[in-house]
Amino acid sequence: MAVDTDVAGMAILQKAGAIINVLEREGESSAAQISEAVGEPVSSTYRLLSTMMALGWVDTGSKRGRYRLGVDVLRIGGMLEDRLDVRSVASPILAELRDATRNSTFLCLLRHDNAVCVERIGGRDVQSLAMRLGDSLPLYSGAAPRALLSFLPNEELRATLDRFEARRRNGEAIPSEGSILREIEIAREVGYTVSDEDVTPGIASIGAPIYNHRGELEGGISVSGLRDRVLGPDVDTAEKVKRSAAQISRALGKLEDAQ
């Protein structure tokens, strides 16, 4: 079942890449034109376009019913090769981590004030559907998003916290800055983050940051499963997650003293 899910997820990403290629080559296009170019039914092309719009990869065109590349693709394009490398490097290590813990593993990348799931390897025992490929969570929710938030460079962290405060004033239910900063302080001390049933009842997760060859924060990984199997006294999930994160970072070229 997990293998089938992963294959389907990769197929979706490939179709999304094909759509981006069409829009890059042809410019603004209708769903019918895109459908013909990528060889997919119009109905499924509409669904994928909707998802890509939610991610900021596609925008509506100058005329009704037409689509064009989203502004985020300009930013993504410059980093696409690196990010595909991150996924290819991380996937086998996340698979090993899944096998070692029997829990689901995730790779998330930063997008604005959210973490987007770009890799998910389903657990051997219980699979939570709270985070699927392409889904996102705010940086204060879930272990991998918290890993991204907690290990942001201080200047970027301050800017993010300021945006959170502005959103609070607009009525959004975001944890207080004090509580976020306390979690960040603990995370930086122990090297990992914890999500204890704040996303899905009964489900806990542990996350850690990964770094690229420049020592820059590249993403966050996590393990998620039944609370007792993640946070129980007889498991060492946190150490396994930290080791896997360090292994991915080394594979990306991070030097031991670079961060």
Side-chain angles (χ1 to χ4, degrees), residues 11 15-16 18 35 38 48 58 73 86 95 101-103 117 120 135 151 153 180-182 186 197 202 241 250 258:
K15 292 174 184 177
S35 170
V38 301
L48 188 50
V58 170
V73 171
V86 172
T101 63
R102 301 190 66 84
N103 295 315
C117 177
R120 177 188 187 278
D135 286 349
F151 294 91
I180 290 175
L181 286 173
R182 284 192 294 272
I186 294 171
E197 300 186 283
V241 173
R250 286 194 299 271

Side-chain angles (χ1 to χ4, degrees), residues 96-109:
E96 292 175 359
L97 181 58
R98 184 274 308 275
D99 292 341
T101 63
R102 301 190 66 84
N103 295 315
S104 298
T105 57
F106 302 85
L107 168 65
C108 291
L109 301 179

Side-chain angles (χ1 to χ4, degrees), residues 1-222:
M1 180 68 72
V3 173
D4 291 343
T5 301
D6 296 339
V7 170
M10 182 53 115
I12 291 172
L13 290 175
Q14 290 172 338
K15 292 174 184 177
I19 289 176
I20 288 174
N21 289 337
V22 170
L23 292 175
E24 182 180 18
R25 183 177 66 248
E26 304 295 339
E28 287 193 8
S29 303
S30 68
Q33 290 170 323
I34 295 169
S35 170
E36 181 178 0
V38 301
E40 291 292 326
V42 174
S43 58
S44 59
T45 300
Y46 269 120
R47 288 194 295 271
L48 188 50
L49 283 167
S50 295
T51 299
M52 294 174 71
M53 288 179 68
L55 291 171
W57 295 358
V58 170
D59 287 334
T60 54
S62 58
K63 297 180 180 179
R64 184 176 180 182
R66 299 183 69 82
Y67 301 86
R68 61 187 176 190
L69 289 177
V71 293
D72 281 352
V73 171
L74 298 176
R75 180 175 60 88
I76 291 170
M79 298 183 289
L80 184 57
E81 184 175 349
D82 285 345
R83 290 196 165 188
L84 289 175
D85 287 344
V86 172
R87 188 176 186 273
S88 64
V89 166
S91 292
I93 298 172
L94 291 176
E96 292 175 359
L97 181 58
R98 184 274 308 275
D99 292 341
T101 63
R102 301 190 66 84
N103 295 315
S104 298
T105 57
F106 302 85
L107 168 65
C108 291
L109 301 179
L110 182 68
R111 179 176 178 269
H112 303 312
D113 293 337
N114 296 285
V116 178
C117 177
V118 298
E119 181 62 291
R120 177 188 187 278
I121 301 179
R124 295 295 191 190
D125 297 326
V126 176
Q127 296 192 41
S128 170
L129 297 179
M131 191 69 155
R132 296 167 295 186
L133 280 174
D135 286 349
S136 64
L137 285 173
L139 293 178
Y140 50 80
S141 180
R146 283 184 176 137
L148 285 167
L149 177 64
S150 297
F151 294 91
L152 280 174
N154 288 333
E155 184 175 340
E156 293 181 37
L157 174 61
R158 183 66 263 165
T160 302
L161 294 175
D162 289 345
R163 290 194 297 272
F164 285 171
E165 178 57 31
R167 290 165 55 187
R168 283 191 202 93
R169 290 197 296 268
N170 288 331
E172 290 191 44
I174 297 176
S176 69
E177 182 169 313
S179 66
I180 290 175
L181 286 173
R182 284 192 294 272
E183 289 185 351
I184 289 173
E185 182 179 4
I186 294 171
R188 290 184 173 185
E189 180 178 347
V190 300
Y192 63 89
T193 55
V194 176
S195 170
D196 190 358
E197 300 186 283
D198 64 290
V199 176
T200 304
I203 300 295
S205 56
I206 291 178
I210 59 173
Y211 298 89
N212 62 26
H213 64 284
R214 295 182 292 271
E216 299 165 340
L217 181 66
E218 186 71 30
I221 67 168
S222 65

